[in-house]
Each structure stands twice: as structure tokens, then as C-alpha cells.
Amino acid sequence: MRMLVAATVMAGIALSPIAMTRAAEQERAEGRTERNRPVERAYGQDDKQKLDVWRAEGTARPAPLILFVHGGGWKRGDKRNATGSAKVDHFLSQGYAVASINYRLVPEHRVEDQAADVAAAFAWARRNAAQLNIDPARIILMGHSAGAHLVALVGTDPAYARAAGFSLSDIRGVVPLDGAAYDVAQQMDGRNRMMQSTYEQAFGTDPARQRALSPTLHAAAPNAPAFLILHVQRSDGTEQSRKLAKALKSGGTAVELHGIEGRGLIGHMQINRKLGEADYPATPIVDRWLKTRL
């Protein structure tokens, strides 16, 4: 039973109607107003190809944008349950605009399609920068769990950017939060049995395809200009994050790597839910890095 619960947590199951009601109640309790509610926009034709946009607060000049990609084992999750309790409000208070995207899900679609969706959303934001009052030269990709894998893949494999009409140098920086599939084949070698079926559903059994979907194996130049890689204290995420950072450095890419307190799947959830809270250790790390990039 414990493994089933853990697998459910790791997969990031979308919010139930009850949970969404509670989230709305929490939003009212926190006093959120219409000015910091998101506006939904479509960046593609599929119903999943949508994003929520929060405009930056208190700025007349175009603002930097943080484009966030949710987790959920590549098969679940939603743009509305990726924002945590404080993440959006915190980034807005720092003068950033925020967008959180949906993308097409496994098994109806492939991980390759998901990476293409991330790139398409990035390209859409650049094209619509004037309407959104954002600076198209200052867009950060940030993602958690499966979303961390996707932003790392888009930030290292130039094929996705090229297909969407931009180059990797147009991405100001990439922030993967506690991913564990940067080298897909290594992650699927049998050590993480709880997630084995999730990985097989997402990445299949073809070694060539697994390599093609591994950001660590694409980390030779060119890459996005800078990475901030954060992980909590779980063995696979720690090892995968360290190897990605090492490969990026070898490719000449600026990279910071930080381990954050929090263990196992609880820590894995906390880095998404608590980022933006003043007393959460990752918040000042991300704030400082964003200021150097934006």
C-alpha cells in the first residue's frame, strides 16, 4: 500500500474536484485578487496546448518571464497544480511575469511531443511579447520532476528550438527542479522499481530513443546559456542532477548545482510546493540566480 501511495505521489495525479474546491477556498483565504489571477491562452491547436499567464506587477516596461512546466510522470498533471502555495505570488512580487503550461500527455502522445510543446510555448511567448508586456530576450524555462526533464531536454537538444523557430541562445536560462531522468537509460536500469512502468510507458525500450531523450547526453555545446539545477536528498535525483551538471560544464555551459533539504518523495513534492516561501531554502538560491540572469 505504501508503494502505491508513493507511486501516486510521484506521478503527480491531477487535482480532484474536491481538491480544486479547497484550492479555491485557500486562494480566497489568502486574499488573492483579480489582478493576480491568470489569463489562459492557447499556444497550439490541441486542447492541452494552453498556458496560464500572470502579468508582472507594478512595472510599465517589459518584464522577464518565467515559463513553468509541471510534473506528473509525463502522463498526469496540470498547469494549475504546478504553482505551489507561494511560487507565483513570490515571482510576481519580484517583478517577473509567470506562465504555467499544459502539454500533451503520455500515452496518447510521446515525450518528443511534450518537448515540442514546451518549445512551442516558448516560441509563442516570444511572438506575443508585446501583448504580454514581457521581454522576449529574458525568458527562463523552469520545470519540476517530469517538467524538469522536459526543460532540460529543450535546453540541450537544439532540434526542438529549431523546429519552433528559435535558437538555444534565445533561452535566457533553464531551472530544472528535482528531475531524475536526465540520463534515461541509467534511470531505467532497474534500480527504481517503483517507477519502472512509468518510465517504460514514457520512454519505451529502444536504447536509441532513450539516448535521444536524455539531456545529459545532449549536453555538449550548444546548450541554453545557463542552468540552475536543484535537487532534494533522494539518491537517483541527486546522482542524475550531478551528472547533468558535470556534462554541461564539460560542454562549456554555465551551471550551478544545489542540493536542498528534504528527503525522498516528500522532499520531491516540497520543492515544487514550497518554492517561493521565504523560509524555504531553495527560494533565496533561485532569487539570486534569477537576478544574475534577468
Side-chain angles (χ1 to χ4, degrees):
M1 179 65 178
R2 182 177 298 173
M3 289 185 68
L4 177 59
V5 171
T8 298
V9 169
M10 185 68 174
I13 290 177
L15 290 175
S16 67
I18 293 174
M20 292 181 71
T21 299
R22 290 174 178 168
E25 291 172 351
Q26 180 181 358
E27 185 176 90
R28 287 194 294 272
E30 292 171 351
R32 296 186 185 180
T33 64
E34 290 296 335
R35 68 181 173 84
N36 59 8
R37 292 184 188 277
V39 176
E40 186 178 71
R41 293 287 184 264
Y43 65 87
Q45 297 301 312
D46 191 274
D47 187 58
K48 280 290 187 181
Q49 292 173 318
K50 294 179 180 177
L51 49 77
D52 288 339
V53 182
W54 291 260
R55 289 177 175 269
E57 298 179 349
T59 178
R61 59 191 294 252
L65 174 67
I66 297 171
L67 187 64
F68 194 86
V69 182
H70 70 76
W74 300 272
K75 59 185 175 180
R76 298 187 178 95
D78 183 82
K79 56 186 169 59
R80 292 294 176 95
N81 63 19
T83 54
S85 62
K87 189 187 291 127
V88 171
D89 287 346
H90 175 74
F91 289 143
L92 292 177
S93 74
Q94 301 296 304
Y96 307 130
V98 180
S100 180
I101 80 165
N102 274 348
Y103 51 87
R104 293 170 292 175
L105 299 174
V106 170
E108 289 82 6
H109 298 276
R110 306 177 306 154
V111 173
E112 292 90 337
D113 301 324
Q114 298 175 336
D117 284 353
V118 173
F122 182 92
W124 180 91
R126 281 169 50 84
R127 289 195 306 272
N128 291 275
Q131 173 190 343
L132 301 173
N133 194 32
I134 63 169
D135 184 344
R138 295 188 294 164
I139 303 177
I140 294 288
L141 284 177
M142 182 182 295
H144 173 249
S145 192
H149 163 264
L150 291 172
V151 298
L153 183 60
V154 172
T156 55
D157 184 348
Y160 296 102
R162 186 165 52 245
F166 63 93
S167 67
L168 289 179
S169 62
D170 293 321
I171 304 172
R172 190 67 176 168
V174 181
V175 185
L177 304 174
D178 206 48
Y182 305 130
D183 184 334
V184 173
Q186 182 188 48
Q187 185 65 352
M188 293 179 65
D189 69 0
R191 285 179 290 178
N192 193 327
R193 296 182 182 279
M194 185 180 69
M195 290 292 294
Q196 198 67 21
S197 63
T198 292
Y199 289 129
E200 288 184 3
Q201 187 178 50
F203 300 108
T205 58
D206 178 9
R209 180 171 180 245
Q210 293 172 3
R211 288 193 297 271
L213 292 171
S214 296
T216 299
L217 304 185
H218 289 287
N223 297 306
F227 279 69
L228 172 64
I229 303 171
L230 302 183
H231 66 85
V232 301
Q233 307 310 308
R234 56 189 187 113
S235 58
D236 55 350
T238 298
E239 181 180 9
Q240 291 262 330
S241 295
R242 288 174 177 171
K243 289 188 173 182
L244 175 60
K246 182 178 179 180
L248 287 166
K249 287 180 181 178
S250 296
T253 301
V255 57
E256 286 191 26
L257 173 70
H258 294 273
I260 306 300
E261 68 179 34
R263 297 194 173 275
L265 296 178
I266 298 300
H268 178 72
M269 292 187 298
Q270 286 176 335
I271 198 170
N272 184 51
R273 293 179 178 177
K274 289 182 172 289
L275 181 62
E277 295 181 8
D279 60 350
Y280 184 63
T283 300
I285 294 172
V286 173
D287 285 350
R288 177 188 54 78
W289 186 86
L290 289 174
K291 286 176 180 174
T292 69
R293 296 303 305 162
L294 298 176

